[in-house]
């Protein structure tokens, strides 16, 4: 198939590369000329395991190309995915300005049948708006369909998630749209659920909100475990053995970040409000998530007695491992809170330091984990990168000014840490 993917962010780039890897002819489009120039040179704007190889190979086979020319890409493709950003507005609403602009440009360009598919996460009823925009601006008599095909990939495992999804959701209301999309996804061996467009849109927001709720739930439980002297990990295992609950997404920590959960939660709360439902449950999910960062800072204070004028070593800055993404990373709020209390921060992250430097002006960035430890009064774990789990802890202890570790991601064994002589604090574990 000839496919255009509009928007070269995480979702667009990964989807485009994967469709090309499946043998389709894909043009990825973005208004950002700098980004397109980079991609044409074989450089990726994001760090994502496996993506570079996939892009290189698809480009070599001439299945993948990049352009800023949306009009041309539209004319040359039958299937057009909209994967542009839907950033949050100050009131939490998703900003759909980019989606509207793209829909309008597509409308003006199309001369033959096109299937326009929304892949960005959008509030329910956006598909309808896209359809109306096309109807208003397209030449009379030109046929088109609009469909919704939400993407569930996670950063850090995006290519694997795209190629091995738990399910594919197709919100498609015409026979032709259903056939094209079912054909496209046939090689992926997974359940395919065909729904109406609005239900597909809600499936995406409801899934992300549910997962975020699971994380806030276990974080609330971890605070109760802390107060009662219980172990949240045992609790999560015990709960997870119930197949209706499942163990995934029950890892307590410093809260969720990234560009999806925080933004999608706000957008879902807002659209629910507009539809007449006050989604209080999700507001509490947000509140627990915000509070969790303060819970961590209180633990640091408890561990150190006074934070002011202490040097704190931070391991991990990205919102989760295997990504360089700093958007809504809990580390940003935590570091700013600690700095406002007079702490000096030294930090290391395996991939996110370049991006982190633009946000964290007063932090001293170190070349590795051991450099972070040298001379610090306390070590803080904010992202659970594998390399932190494999540190030589005896060496860490020697390098620290005092053997204090506050682990926001529960990566070390409390008993072992104490046996090594650390004062060790983690989330919801005695
Ligand atoms: C998420 C959804 O998982 C994905 O389906 C959707 O398409 C985009 O949003 P992503 O943001 O890449 O993906 O990361 P994810 O692995 O889901 O983690 C999100 C945040 O939750 C991270 O900050 C992570 O540290 C946190 N998290 C996750 C926890 O704190 N505990 C958990 O048990 C799981």
């Amino acid at each position: 198939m000839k496919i255009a993917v509009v928007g070269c962010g995480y979702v667009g780039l990964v989807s485009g590369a994967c469709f090309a890897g499946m043998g389709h002819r894909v043009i990825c489009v973005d208004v950002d000329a700098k980004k397109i120039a980079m991609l044409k040179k074989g450089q990726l704007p994001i760090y994502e395991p496996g993506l570079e190889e996939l892009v290189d190979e698809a480009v070599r086979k001439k299945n993948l190309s990049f352009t800023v020319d949306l009009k041309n890409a539209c004319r040359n493709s039958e299937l057009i995915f909209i994967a542009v950003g839907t950033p949050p507005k100050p009131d939490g609403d998703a900003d759909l300005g980019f989606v509207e602009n793209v829909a309008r440009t597509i409308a003006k360009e199309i001369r033959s049948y096109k299937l326009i598919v929304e892949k960005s996460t959008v509030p329910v009823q956006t598909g309808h708006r896209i359809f109306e925009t096309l109807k208003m601006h397209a030449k009379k008599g030109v046929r088109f369909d609009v469909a919704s095909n939400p993407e569930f990939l996670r950063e850090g495992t995006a290519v694997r998630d795209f190629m091995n999804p738990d399910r594919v959701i197709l919100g498609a209301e015409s026979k032709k749209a259903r056939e094209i999309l079912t054909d496209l996804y046939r090689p992926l061996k997974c359940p395919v659920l065909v729904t109406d467009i609005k239900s597909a849109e809600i499936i995406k927001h409801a899934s992300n909100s549910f997962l975020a709720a699971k994380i806030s739930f276990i974080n609330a439980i971890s605070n109760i475990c802390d107060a009662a002297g219980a172990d949240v990990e045992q609790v999560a295992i015990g709960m997870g053995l119930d197949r209706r609950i499942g163990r995934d997404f029950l890892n307590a920590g410093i809260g969720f970040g990234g560009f999806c959960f925080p933004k999608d939660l706000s957008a879902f709360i807002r659209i629910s409000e507009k539809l007449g439902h006050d989604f209080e449950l999700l507001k509490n999910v947000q509140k627990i998530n915000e509070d969790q960062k303060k819970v961590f800072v209180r633990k640091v204070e408890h561990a150190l007695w006074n934070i002011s004028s202490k040097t704190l070593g931070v391991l991990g800055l990205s919102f989760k491992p295997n990504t360089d993404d700093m958007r809504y990373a809990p580390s940003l709020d935590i570091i700013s809170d600690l700095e406002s209390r007079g702490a000096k921060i030294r930090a290391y992250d395996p991939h996110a330091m370049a991006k982190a430097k633009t946000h964290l002006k007063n932090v001293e960035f170190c070349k590795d984990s051991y450099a972070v430890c040298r001379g610090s009064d306390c070590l803080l774990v904010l992202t659970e990168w594998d390399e932190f789990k494999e540190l030589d802890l005896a060496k860490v202890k020697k390098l620290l000014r005092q053997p204090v570790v506050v682990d926001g991601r529960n990566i070390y064994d409390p008993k072992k840490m104490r046996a090594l002589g650390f004062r060790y604090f983690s989330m919801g574990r005695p």
Side-chain angles (χ1 to χ4, degrees):
M1 288 184 206
K2 285 182 159 182
I3 301 174
V5 179
V6 190
C8 289
Y10 259 99
V11 170
L13 202 52
V14 173
S15 308
C18 289
F19 287 139
M22 288 156 77
H24 300 288
R25 273 289 178 93
V26 181
I27 314 180
C28 286
V29 191
D30 205 290
V31 284
D32 184 342
K34 252 186 129 172
K35 198 188 255 185
I36 292 296
M38 255 179 101
L39 286 162
K40 281 186 169 169
K41 277 193 248 159
Q43 297 163 356
L44 295 193
I46 48 172
Y47 168 73
E48 185 60 44
L51 186 59
E52 201 170 337
E53 295 82 332
L54 191 65
V55 168
D56 282 352
E57 201 191 329
V59 169
R60 209 164 13 87
K61 289 186 174 162
K62 301 207 180 320
N63 280 340
L64 183 61
S65 57
F66 303 98
T67 182
V68 284
D69 187 351
L70 173 58
K71 294 177 180 175
N72 197 34
C74 285
R75 282 195 293 269
N76 290 313
S77 315
E78 187 183 22
L79 189 48
I80 304 167
F81 282 92
I82 302 181
V84 294
T86 52
K89 293 198 235 175
D91 62 3
D93 257 345
D95 185 344
L96 299 170
F98 297 126
V99 176
E100 184 185 345
N101 284 346
V102 170
R104 212 182 275 203
T105 309
I106 295 172
K108 287 182 181 151
E109 283 314 306
I110 58 178
R111 300 288 179 269
S112 56
Y113 176 84
K114 309 281 172 192
L115 172 56
I116 296 102
V117 187
E118 47 169 22
K119 212 168 196 15
S120 310
T121 301
V122 290
V124 61
Q125 295 173 337
T126 303
H128 178 71
R129 290 285 197 170
I130 295 175
F131 182 83
E132 291 295 319
T133 305
L134 280 146
K135 219 166 82 179
M136 226 170 355
H137 295 281
K139 270 200 157 42
K140 287 241 153 24
V142 175
R143 289 180 52 240
F144 61 85
D145 279 311
V146 172
S148 162
N149 168 220
E151 183 48 57
F152 298 94
L153 59 80
R154 289 163 298 176
E155 292 181 20
T157 51
V159 174
R160 197 174 70 209
D161 288 348
F162 188 95
M163 299 306 270
N164 307 284
D166 286 346
R167 81 302 208 182
V168 164
I169 304 295
L170 302 179
E173 295 175 2
S174 79
K175 188 162 171 271
K176 186 155 183 172
R178 280 195 292 271
E179 277 172 5
I180 294 175
L181 289 173
T182 316
D183 271 358
L184 177 70
Y185 282 105
R186 189 157 292 124
L188 306 185
K189 306 269 172 282
C190 70
V192 174
L193 179 69
V194 182
T195 67
D196 60 279
I197 295 172
K198 289 177 193 157
S199 301
E201 291 169 335
I202 291 194
I203 288 171
K204 172 68 194 194
H205 263 155
S207 301
N208 271 5
S209 304
F210 192 83
L211 290 169
K214 244 184 135 175
I215 299 169
S216 279
F217 188 88
I218 202 67
N219 280 336
I221 297 288
S222 87
N223 297 334
I224 294 167
C225 287
D226 266 338
D231 182 343
V232 73
E233 252 165 35
Q234 308 259 352
V235 174
I237 294 170
M239 287 172 65
L241 283 170
D242 185 328
R243 269 176 294 170
R244 293 170 302 175
I245 299 173
R247 173 65 183 82
D248 288 352
F249 275 71
L250 287 181
N251 296 321
I254 51 175
F256 54 79
F259 203 54
C260 287
F261 285 168
K263 156 179 94 68
D264 292 355
L265 263 183
S266 302
F268 200 27
I269 290 169
R270 286 288 294 156
I271 188 76
S272 304
E273 233 161 61
K274 285 183 187 166
L275 294 169
H277 178 69
D278 182 6
F279 215 146
E280 278 188 78
L281 174 66
L282 294 188
K283 290 181 184 166
N284 276 311
V285 168
Q286 276 183 323
K287 183 175 183 309
I288 293 170
N289 198 55
E290 284 311 303
D291 288 350
Q292 199 61 11
K293 292 175 253 189
K294 296 180 195 131
V295 168
F296 180 80
V297 171
R298 276 203 297 276
K299 271 183 197 280
V300 177
E301 193 165 38
H302 171 71
L304 287 176
W305 188 13
N306 294 298
I307 289 180
S308 180
S309 73
K310 296 264 168 48
T311 301
L312 309 181
V314 169
L315 295 184
L317 297 166
S318 55
F319 82 97
K320 67 172 197 176
N322 300 320
T323 177
D324 62 349
D325 202 340
M326 285 299 300
R327 291 175 298 178
Y328 296 93
S331 65
L332 294 174
D333 287 339
I334 289 172
I335 288 174
S336 128
D337 191 346
L338 292 168
E339 283 177 338
S340 74
R341 290 160 195 262
K344 188 177 168 309
I345 307 288
R346 330 177 62 217
Y348 166 72
D349 186 287
H351 279 279
M353 287 204 286
K355 287 191 178 159
K357 279 177 190 166
T358 64
H359 300 275
L360 301 166
K361 298 293 181 204
N362 301 317
V363 168
E364 180 192 338
F365 291 93
C366 300
K367 70 174 190 342
D368 61 22
S369 303
Y370 297 115
V372 161
C373 297
R374 191 167 294 120
S376 288
D377 293 293
C378 173
L379 189 64
L380 312 179
V381 181
L382 299 189
T383 317
E384 66 277 33
W385 287 88
D386 278 345
E387 66 173 75
F388 302 153
K389 298 176 188 166
E390 281 139 30
L391 288 179
D392 175 348
L393 292 167
K395 186 171 169 186
V396 166
K397 186 164 168 252
K398 261 197 211 131
L399 291 169
L400 285 170
R401 208 180 277 163
Q402 43 181 26
V404 184
V405 175
V406 188
D407 177 358
R409 298 293 190 171
N410 290 352
I411 65 171
Y412 301 122
D413 178 349
K415 278 201 194 101
K416 272 194 201 148
M417 292 300 278
R418 279 175 205 130
L420 282 166
F422 284 101
R423 287 187 68 222
Y424 176 72
F425 305 87
S426 57
M427 309 304 285
R429 301 185 306 170

